[in-house]
Amino acid sequence: MDSIEQARKYAVVTGASSGIGRELAMLLAREGYALVLVARRTEPMRALADQLQQAHGTPSVVVGADLGVPEGVATVVREVKERRLDIEVLVNNAGFGLAGPFEELPAEGQLGMLDLNIRALTALTRELVPGMVARKRGYVLNVASTAAFQPGPLMSVYYATKAYVLSFSTALHEELRGRGVTVTALCPGYTETEFAARAAEHQRPRLFSGPLGSGDARQVAESGYRAMKRGKAVVVPGLVNLLGTWFVPFAPLGLKLRLTRYLNASET
């Protein structure tokens, strides 16, 4: 193992093949981090790795893994340990959602959301945070959503998984206070990425083409990175999204449910 490679600061980015994950990888490379890029599709990541090497001179380890199954997490952890990489940043970005009535959506897909959005995120965090604590240096950025702040009829499982991510992240942020490691929950609103296309496989929510519009993946990534570096527990990019999260705790539950159901209902 090259001693220079061991000495580098590495960032693990899951869901790095597109969208917010890709933008975060580009930002981390620009800031001097070498990368461990993780996703199911390796070709887009190899292209990204070449681009980052040419632009910033930073190396990337490309790991093709399906984090929706336990073997996927094990593959990432094995790669990190065998290469003896110093992981300073963990970005848990991989995740997906499905829109539609609970009883009509495929059970496999809904359980898959639990596996990827919750189990994989928790497992990777558990594997990599102890090393950060031992070195008294590290950052975890967990990509949640504004969906984390209220129940989501017609996307009920997805909203519940993001509520877990927000709750877990903020609790762990407090546990690690003063130990050199911070945990940040990034809570973007609707962002036009491949996530949206997959979420709308069964039903395209009105929110996806509604008056609130969509966020920009690059801006979301920049907001998340800045908040992570400042050690913030939660960041909600965009003024409209932020105001919405402030409103949610004071709104009657019935109103929240009806409004969210309207936004998640089919636009046709």
Side-chain angles (χ1 to χ4, degrees):
M1 178 61 59
D2 191 321
S3 60
I4 295 178
E5 183 175 342
Q6 291 183 51
R8 290 183 183 275
K9 299 181 301 180
Y10 270 82
V12 174
V13 182
T14 71
S17 59
S18 65
I20 295 171
R22 186 178 190 276
E23 294 294 339
L24 280 164
M26 295 173 67
L27 185 53
L28 286 158
R30 190 186 75 191
E31 295 299 317
Y33 286 96
L35 297 166
V36 179
L37 304 173
V38 183
R40 290 182 301 170
R41 297 177 299 164
T42 58
E43 286 307 313
M45 292 192 294
R46 290 196 182 100
L48 176 60
D50 290 341
Q51 177 183 342
L52 298 180
Q53 178 69 47
Q54 293 175 11
H56 307 291
T58 52
S60 298
V61 177
V62 173
V63 182
D66 180 1
L67 297 180
V69 297
E71 293 78 11
V73 173
T75 297
V76 177
V77 174
R78 182 170 58 252
E79 195 76 25
V80 167
K81 289 183 176 179
E82 288 180 354
R83 292 175 177 268
R84 292 179 288 169
L85 302 181
D86 181 356
I87 304 300
E88 183 169 305
V89 177
L90 168 61
V91 176
N92 282 307
N93 168 72
F96 74 97
L98 294 175
F102 175 76
E103 80 279 5
E104 296 178 11
L105 292 175
E108 180 181 3
Q110 298 195 73
L111 294 174
M113 280 186 274
L114 301 180
D115 287 333
L116 183 56
N117 299 5
I118 294 178
R119 185 196 54 76
L121 177 146
T122 306
L124 271 177
T125 303
R126 177 61 183 83
E127 289 285 354
L128 298 181
V129 160
M132 297 179 185
V133 172
R135 293 186 295 270
K136 299 181 180 179
R137 184 184 74 253
Y139 304 91
V140 178
L141 180 63
N142 289 331
V143 179
S145 167
T146 52
F149 293 90
Q150 68 278 317
L154 301 180
M155 290 187 75
S156 55
V157 175
Y158 172 73
Y159 275 57
T161 65
K162 292 306 180 179
Y164 171 89
V165 173
L166 177 61
S167 178
F168 169 67
S169 300
T170 51
L172 190 56
H173 175 91
E174 178 61 28
E175 281 189 37
L176 297 174
R177 183 184 298 277
R179 301 171 71 184
V181 181
T182 61
V183 181
T184 301
L186 170 58
C187 301
Y190 167 58
T191 306
E192 189 65 53
T193 64
E194 290 183 3
F195 167 89
R198 184 171 186 183
E201 283 179 2
H202 303 276
Q203 173 177 298
R204 181 174 176 83
R206 186 177 283 112
L207 173 65
F208 287 11
S209 56
L212 296 180
S214 64
D216 177 79
R218 180 169 298 180
Q219 293 175 351
V220 169
E222 289 174 348
S223 294
Y225 181 82
R226 289 195 301 268
M228 179 190 78
K229 280 296 190 174
R230 291 199 299 265
K232 292 186 63 175
V234 180
V235 57
V236 181
L239 180 60
V240 172
N241 294 324
L242 183 60
L243 292 175
T245 62
W246 288 349
F247 165 76
V248 163
F250 302 101
L253 178 60
L255 175 61
K256 288 188 285 191
L257 291 172
R258 288 191 293 274
L259 176 60
T260 308
R261 178 171 183 160
Y262 172 81
L263 293 173
N264 290 339
S266 175
E267 60 183 345
T268 57

